[in-house]
Amino acid sequence: FNMELHGITQMLIGALLLTEHISYFNILPLYFLLTLSVIPMVLLARVSYGALLSVSFGVYVLAQMGLSLDQWPSGRFWAFNPFAWQLIFVLGFVAGSRREELASRIDKSSFIFPVAIVIVVVSAMCVRLGIPAPSSSDRGALEAFLFHKNNEGVVRVLQFMALAIVGYRLSPLVARLAPWAWSICSLLGRNSLVVFGASALAAGVGQVLDRYGIYGALYD
């Protein structure tokens, strides 16, 4: 009993210190760290966006080479390696800061949007066909490098950028043809953390109901 109590105490302390990650909520520690990184990120961006992107890509490369954080007390790696996923955060910050310039380049380009469409469509087809292998244990070294969720594989970065471009170009069409859908999506985006928390709780309840049924969840 004392050993179990000690383990539970360690788990609770680890959860409060963001070093023990609970399933379906293990992205929250990443959110906190990325939020803390805003100040140095903005200061570096004041020097130059090139310097910010260079540092971010450098840290990303180090993450692909093994730089990570350990959970405590379990000793596992973080489900979302902050040294890798910071790249998405930085790319989003730079895109938002230079949105008018980037939007102009995308609108004037004759190939950026078609290439982004191809990436999104091919990615959707690959998921449908089971590429990469659904189980990470069945993936080869190349698949693991390209699609790894923990270290944000290279393909995931490309998919993020392509999806952002497609979303930007299609947003006026969606807003015009389905304003109700546009309004809902806008609210979801502006309240993403609350939406995530509610969805994670709903997913947990759904798993309990799926495994034990309504009667088992209520009475067993």
Side-chain angles (χ1 to χ4, degrees), residues 27-183:
I27 198 173
L28 290 178
L30 175 66
Y31 283 163
F32 281 109
L33 278 191
L34 292 181
T35 301
L36 291 175
S37 71
V38 168
I39 294 177
M41 182 179 66
V42 171
L43 292 176
L44 191 55
R46 285 187 174 184
V47 176
S48 75
Y49 287 104
L52 174 61
L53 290 172
S54 297
V55 171
S56 180
F57 275 106
V59 174
Y60 176 79
V61 171
L62 291 177
Q64 303 308 313
M65 297 173 63
L67 179 64
S68 185
L69 292 176
D70 293 335
Q71 295 186 43
W72 179 88
S74 64
R76 299 187 298 267
F77 288 118
W78 279 40
F80 297 91
N81 185 351
F83 298 113
W85 281 88
Q86 54 78 30
L87 179 61
I88 290 291
F89 191 63
V90 170
L91 289 174
F93 170 77
V94 173
S97 302
R98 307 291 293 272
R99 55 186 176 274
E100 294 182 0
E101 178 184 341
L102 290 174
S104 177
R105 291 188 179 184
I106 293 172
D107 292 338
K108 293 178 180 178
S109 174
S110 60
F111 70 93
I112 292 180
F113 180 59
V115 169
I117 284 284
V118 170
I119 293 175
V120 171
V121 171
V122 170
S123 298
M125 293 176 61
C126 287
V127 171
R128 184 70 176 176
L129 296 173
I131 304 172
S135 176
S136 58
S137 60
D138 296 332
R139 298 175 186 174
L142 181 60
E143 280 186 322
F145 171 73
L146 294 177
F147 298 94
H148 205 293
K149 182 181 75 171
N150 174 268
N151 282 338
E152 192 197 10
V154 176
V155 172
R156 288 180 178 268
V157 178
L158 294 176
Q159 290 171 334
F160 163 78
M161 297 174 65
L163 189 60
I165 293 171
V166 171
Y168 159 70
R169 289 298 300 270
L170 294 183
S171 57
L173 179 64
V174 175
R176 185 168 63 253
L177 298 180
W180 58 271
W182 175 252
S183 177

